[in-house]
Amino acid sequence: RRVDAHKRIAISMSVEALSSRVDALERKTWGSSAGSGGDGIAEPLRRARRHVESSDCYSSIWKHCPADYYDLGLEERRKILSAHSTSQLCKACLFENKNFKPNEDGKKDPTNSQFYLVVVQYVEEVNFDKLSTGLRALRPAGSTRFGPKYFDFRQCDEFEKLTGYGHNGVSPFGLVDESIPIVLCKNAQNARPQFIWMGGGHKDWKLGMAVSEFVKGLGAIVVDASDPR
């Protein structure tokens, strides 16, 4: 029994040592332990990063930002991210279609989803009429296409539960509910260079990548759904 007890202690110590080495490697890789009170990398950040890496987004860049990032204007944020233009800065907003009715077969359908995560530039705002028109056009003209009033979008209050991310930290990658379609407002493709920044899974982390890899990696729906502010 004493031998077994010693074995358990040795195994426990080995696991703790391995865990410490993993934490150290993560800090070295990320360049910071922000995201969980300085004790390591928070799970939402891991989840977002795993999704980015598995999606072959080779242009991706992670940037740790100061705590007062959201107290700054767009130009100051641009400088922190070393972006060429404020048009490259985007945010992800979760919207719910209040008129949603599931398909008869009960299957998930990106043309008819209760929730949509819309990625829009900060210099633009979502136009719900355009968003509705763009989503309706995903179905061929005829009996299966929804009527003009089918989509009635509202900001979703349960974004933390559905995305797994907190305020100002929502990333399009690594959503808890993987069935939520990702919509990219078409005007974001006009950013030069075609590289955009978005939430990285924590309010202090931002994720940047080429627009083409964003669309391909997420299977994003590109819709003309925004207007200049």
Side-chain angles (χ1 to χ4, degrees), residues 16-50:
E16 289 180 3
L18 180 60
S19 178
S20 296
R21 290 180 63 185
V22 170
D23 286 342
L25 285 171
E26 281 188 328
R27 291 190 182 98
K28 183 178 180 180
T29 300
W30 285 81
S32 171
S33 60
S36 59
D39 297 326
I41 304 302
E43 175 54 30
L45 286 169
R46 288 193 181 101
R47 193 173 66 246
R49 186 154 188 157
R50 284 196 298 267

Side-chain angles (χ1 to χ4, degrees), residues 119 172-173 182 184 198 209-218 220:
V119 177
F173 289 85
I182 309 298
L184 176 67
M198 67 210 78
M209 69 176 60
V211 175
S212 59
E213 289 192 347
F214 174 90
V215 174
K216 183 179 180 180
L218 289 171

Side-chain angles (χ1 to χ4, degrees), residues 33 38 48 70-71 86 91 96 104 106 130 133 179 188 200 205 214 221 229:
S33 60
Y70 283 102
D71 294 328
T86 55
K91 60 181 177 180
E96 178 180 4
E104 292 182 0
K130 285 185 173 182
T133 298
S179 69
W205 283 91
F214 174 90
I221 302 169
R229 288 184 178 276

Side-chain angles (χ1 to χ4, degrees), residues 46-66:
R46 288 193 181 101
R47 193 173 66 246
R49 186 154 188 157
R50 284 196 298 267
H51 192 180
V52 170
E53 291 176 348
S54 66
S55 300
D56 296 332
C57 296
Y58 301 112
S59 64
S60 61
I61 298 175
W62 298 85
K63 180 74 173 182
H64 183 232
C65 302

Side-chain angles (χ1 to χ4, degrees), residues 84-104:
H84 291 261
S85 168
T86 55
S87 64
Q88 294 176 274
L89 279 56
C90 297
K91 60 181 177 180
C93 306
L94 185 65
F95 297 114
E96 178 180 4
N97 176 20
K98 292 296 185 179
N99 288 339
F100 170 74
K101 294 180 181 179
N103 293 340
E104 292 182 0

